[in-house]
Amino acid sequence: MRNLPVRTARWSARHPWRAIAGWFVFVALCLGTGISVGGNPATTEDFWVGEAGRAEQLATEGGLERKPTEHVLIRAEPGRPLDGAAARAAARDVAERMERLPEVASVAAPVRSADGDALRVPVVLKGAELDGKKNVGPLLEQTAQAAAAHPGVVVEETGSPAISKGVNDQRGEDLALSERISLPVTLVTLLVVFGSVVMAGVPLLLALTSIAAALGLSMLASHLLPDPGVGTNLILLIGLAVGVDYTLFYLKREREERARAAGTLSSAALVELAAATAGRAIVVSGLAVIVSTATLYLATDVIFSSLATGTILVVAVAVASSLTALPALLVALGRRTERRSARRAARREARGTARRERRQRPEHGRVFAALLRPAQRRPAATLVVSVLAMLALAAPALGMKLVDPGKDTFSRDIPAMQTYDRLTAAFPELKVQHEVVARAAAERAPEVRRALAELGRRASGDPLFVRDAEPAVRTSPDGRTSVLVLSVPHFANSGPAQDSLRHLRDDHLPATVGRLAGVETAVSGDVARGADYVEDERGKLPLVVGALLLLTFVMTVFAFRSVVIGLLGVALNLLSAAAALGALVVVFQGSWAEGLLDFDSMGAIASRVPLFLFVILFGLSMDYQVFVVSRIKEARDAGMPAREAVTAGIAASAKVVTSAAVVMVTVFAGFVALHLTEMKQMGFCLALAVLLDAVVIRLMVLPAALLLLGERAWWRAPRGSAAAAPVARAFENVR
């Protein structure tokens, strides 16, 4: 593994056009095979969790599973009374149109609202619950035609399938917007760093091809781990960030070696030198991200597994591109540079050696020197102040509240969500429905039905439930399974809805059906799904975080042969992740930033966000840890004292780390402009964490800690190596 980057770079340097062609063939094969095979979408069963999942399993086995249902709402224009005859005519027309569609399983009779101002026509689609969003298109078309045919009333459609389709369409538009924001800014940043359109285009080219290959591979991987539809978003997000970063680190190192060699080494030799340092750091960094992300599999959740798979694939492909296609591209471009340099050799020589020496100095600049100065002059004070500031930023994370996002958290820019609000205002019983499932021997079906009916009567007397509602009990054809549906006039994430679930599970159910011996019961529904999912995540959190900390420590010790560096790396990663999560709570759990960032506060954080961000942030923090500490270790292996090596290593890596951070922050910040609050939270937290890590952690906390530790930081690390000789030349100008 240690020599893999050099061996790969050597082959690519000797056969550049073969390597470049091979890379594009690889990308085409991955993408083409993935498209031809297709993805394997997750099913409803893949989302079953806790008691709610057990209830849905019982209902499904009895043929009573939840079906995808649409509601066609017929109402008057605001401020006008509903024309009953026109509304009934529109309802008949809608029913006839829907019954002719092959996607429709049944159409129920129209239901009038309590105030008489609206009618709704329930339409049940064929297929599983998650298939509704794929089949709802023809229903929406028929509803639009019915609306045009009945101008005297307003005819509109909503339901879980229409809302899911709207969310998917909005997510696609958001991703296109994010690309329009991040790609130009990334290109401008790279132009500033390299001053060359060609060199700036190389990182983008490799990042985009890596994303394409990873998308194809993810389609193949979905046949082992089903795809819930979120992996693509993450591949684009992480792929652009790490793809550009890895290429940037490699390119900057190659340019340093080229400037230092001053024409004495060929492009192939320069690429090998870069591979021995930056190439190895990229491999270690990529492995660290992959290993840390793999801990998400321990959550045994279909969405986390998909996120982990997407991240692992795109990082692995980005590393592969940096080891194969990038050296070949550098050699091809370098030969052109060498020919141009040869024509300017005399002019360069005339400028004298002084300018050459200035050109060999590392590019840290005044800004980085100013940022490093506090750690160099007063390391103890800098360490204390920086850590206290980060801990203060992290403190609000202790008050984090989690919620599973649902319909009431989706953007109201989606037409189906606007109709949903009008529907639930007219029919509040549709906001939330609990489903009580009971299974027993077939001969006990009458007894079970009576107990469920009693449960329904008790619930109707509870102020948290819809009153005076006739209990709806359905029984499977074999008589073994029965389902009771109870309505709650509150949104799923509200306090009253959560209280209704507790009343149902802890009071009403034990007092009725729960008293029957030999009857298996469970509660599902909109509230139960979210509550059980959050509880399941909390139970998996210690295992995932424990494995993450252990693996991060082992990877760091493996990379740098220092226990102290390993412990320090874990502590710094914890600090930056905690600070970002604390800021996330401050911004999104309250309402003060709603207008600033254009979102509606949920009063909580989306349940999947903290664990996912914690794992990903650890991986991304390892990126900078590896690249910065690698430069410090190189200086130390070259013979520098520990404290001087810290200053030299951080000064040598400061500009490239900051440039990489700008790219990452830009990519992640683009997601703050998206509509989905969950994606806004992820983009904000990732962008802030990278910014804090690159500036506060790597330029203040890390150098201050290493300067205070001195030689003790490298406890159990090798004091020298035969490989140090070529590196010594890289730092001779810093000495």
Side-chain angles (χ1 to χ4, degrees), residues 423-630:
L423 176 72
T424 53
F427 301 91
E429 66 272 15
L430 295 179
K431 288 183 178 179
V432 163
Q433 290 184 330
H434 297 300
E435 297 174 3
V436 183
V437 184
R439 184 168 69 179
E443 58 271 16
R444 301 187 64 185
E447 180 184 12
V448 172
R449 288 180 61 86
R450 286 194 297 271
L452 286 173
E454 180 186 354
L455 171 57
R457 287 190 293 272
R458 284 177 60 99
S460 66
D462 188 326
L464 293 172
F465 293 80
V466 173
R467 298 188 178 189
D468 302 324
E470 185 67 26
V473 179
R474 296 176 294 147
T475 302
S476 62
D478 62 6
R480 298 184 65 239
T481 307
S482 295
V483 176
L484 168 68
V485 177
L486 300 173
S487 297
V488 176
H490 307 286
F491 287 116
N493 290 326
S494 66
Q498 300 292 326
D499 291 340
S500 72
L501 177 63
R502 286 191 289 270
H503 281 211
L504 179 57
R505 284 178 168 176
D506 299 340
D507 300 327
H508 302 318
L509 184 58
T512 53
V513 189
R515 294 184 302 181
L516 302 179
V519 178
E520 185 177 3
T521 62
V523 177
S524 183
D526 302 312
V527 184
R529 282 178 172 181
D532 290 353
Y533 184 82
V534 172
E535 188 63 29
D536 183 73
E537 279 191 20
R538 287 192 178 123
K540 300 289 179 53
L541 185 63
L543 176 63
V544 176
V545 172
L548 176 65
L549 296 178
L550 177 61
L551 290 174
T552 301
F553 172 72
V554 171
M555 283 292 298
T556 309
V557 173
F558 168 78
F560 300 110
R561 302 296 192 269
S562 169
V563 174
V564 176
I565 292 293
L567 292 172
L568 183 62
V570 170
L572 296 185
N573 291 352
L574 274 173
L575 191 61
S576 61
L581 290 173
L584 178 69
V585 171
V586 170
V587 173
F588 284 93
Q589 198 158 290
S591 58
W592 67 271
E594 287 181 328
L596 184 64
L597 298 180
D598 189 23
F599 72 97
D600 294 319
S601 175
M602 299 184 289
I605 304 301
S607 57
R608 295 185 181 93
V609 169
L611 181 56
F612 169 72
L613 288 178
F614 194 80
V615 172
I616 294 299
L617 290 177
F618 251 70
L620 296 179
S621 294
M622 280 295 292
D623 260 357
Y624 297 142
Q625 178 79 355
V626 168
F627 286 115
V628 173
V629 178
S630 292

